[in-house]
Amino acid sequence: MADSFSFETKESKTEDLKSVSESLRTLAEEREKDIELEKLKVKSAMEKGNAKQIRIHARNMVRMRHEVKNYGQVSYHLDSMVDYFDKEPEQSKAFSSIPAIVESIDSSLTSGNTKNMLKTMDQIEKKYFDEEIVAKFASSSATESTPIAISEDAEISALVQKLADEYNLKAAVEFEPSRKPAPLAEDKEEVKKADEGDVGVKSKSCFNIFSCWCH
């Protein structure tokens, strides 16, 4: 009975981390659906020969894919933390860091920038765990090879070509090789909607979900 009670108590202490991780996976799945919608918009723009709309929606797809990846990375690291805490003694002081960890992730999500969330996770690991433990977190979350860093323009061009081949359509997006092109007026408006509207709504939703765990 004592062992059972200890397990239940320990599990309850990591429940918030599990909940945050699960919610991040849900957000990633929702973003995947958004990507499919953008993909259809790219196809429609290709069929109409609208290069501007092709560029806008392909850019949205690229950015959303990065968001999905970032959500996944943070989720995997949180799962690794749960595994670590599950092996800790019931009275370990390490458990006292969990509320601060959850609150930090919650705060980083309010920006709507998943890159900030990754930076926050890195700061959390350095603050609360030693290097050996952090290395184990990174090892357990390495589900895929590190991609070669390329510019957003190159990603967009490669994606457009891939989709054009998939749909058996002709399309291409060309950029100045020396610098990233300034968005056209309509591009700016569409990108603003994607960055500040859709992403903003999701980040506010995240904040509402997570805030209840931190209080």
Side-chain angles (χ1 to χ4, degrees):
M1 292 295 293
D3 290 341
S4 176
F5 175 77
S6 176
F7 174 77
E8 291 175 359
T9 303
K10 184 184 295 187
E11 185 178 53
S12 67
K13 290 180 179 179
T14 59
E15 192 61 36
D16 285 351
L17 290 176
K18 294 176 183 177
S19 297
V20 174
S21 178
E22 179 62 31
S23 292
L24 289 174
R25 285 194 291 271
T26 299
L27 287 173
E29 291 173 359
E30 291 177 355
R31 249 337 187 199
E32 290 281 10
K33 295 177 182 178
D34 292 338
I35 290 173
E36 288 303 311
L37 293 177
E38 290 295 324
K39 183 178 178 180
L40 293 176
K41 292 177 182 179
V42 171
K43 179 182 179 182
S44 177
M46 286 181 176
E47 292 172 339
K48 297 175 182 178
N50 190 327
K52 185 186 298 183
Q53 290 298 313
I54 291 173
R55 182 170 62 251
I56 290 172
H57 296 298
R59 179 186 290 118
N60 288 345
M61 285 185 67
V62 166
R63 293 179 177 178
M64 289 176 182
R65 283 180 172 181
H66 283 291
E67 289 180 9
V68 169
K69 178 185 174 184
N70 293 343
Y71 283 137
Q73 285 186 348
V74 175
S75 177
Y76 281 125
H77 277 252
L78 290 174
D79 289 343
S80 296
M81 285 184 186
V82 171
D83 291 340
Y84 165 77
F85 284 121
D86 284 344
K87 297 174 183 177
E88 282 291 286
E90 176 64 31
Q91 302 304 320
S92 173
K93 293 182 179 180
F95 288 101
S96 63
S97 65
I98 292 179
I101 292 173
V102 174
E103 185 172 2
S104 294
I105 294 296
D106 181 16
S107 297
S108 70
L109 279 166
T110 61
S111 68
N113 188 327
T114 56
K115 289 183 179 179
N116 287 343
M117 187 169 56
L118 285 176
K119 292 179 181 178
T120 298
M121 177 56 69
D122 183 59
Q123 293 169 354
I124 287 172
E125 292 176 340
K126 290 179 179 178
K127 181 176 181 179
Y128 296 108
F129 305 95
D130 59 39
E131 292 183 2
E132 183 179 353
I133 298 300
V134 172
K136 290 181 179 179
F137 291 166
S139 176
S140 63
S141 65
T143 57
E144 56 184 30
S145 59
T146 303
I148 299 174
I150 60 175
S151 69
E152 183 180 75
D153 290 350
E155 282 191 79
I156 292 172
S157 295
L159 175 60
V160 169
Q161 186 58 57
K162 179 180 178 181
L163 294 178
D165 292 342
E166 179 179 335
Y167 295 130
N168 196 26
L169 296 169
K170 291 184 178 181
V173 178
E174 296 182 359
F175 301 106
E176 290 290 339
S178 60
R179 65 180 181 179
K180 184 175 180 179
L184 299 176
E186 185 174 338
D187 287 9
K188 289 181 179 179
E189 184 64 26
E190 291 294 333
V191 171
K192 183 178 180 181
K193 289 179 181 178
D195 290 346
E196 298 180 1
D198 192 21
V199 175
V201 169
K202 289 182 180 296
S203 65
K204 289 179 181 178
S205 175
C206 294
F207 180 77
N208 291 335
I209 293 172
F210 295 153
S211 61
C212 64
W213 297 331
C214 301
H215 300 288

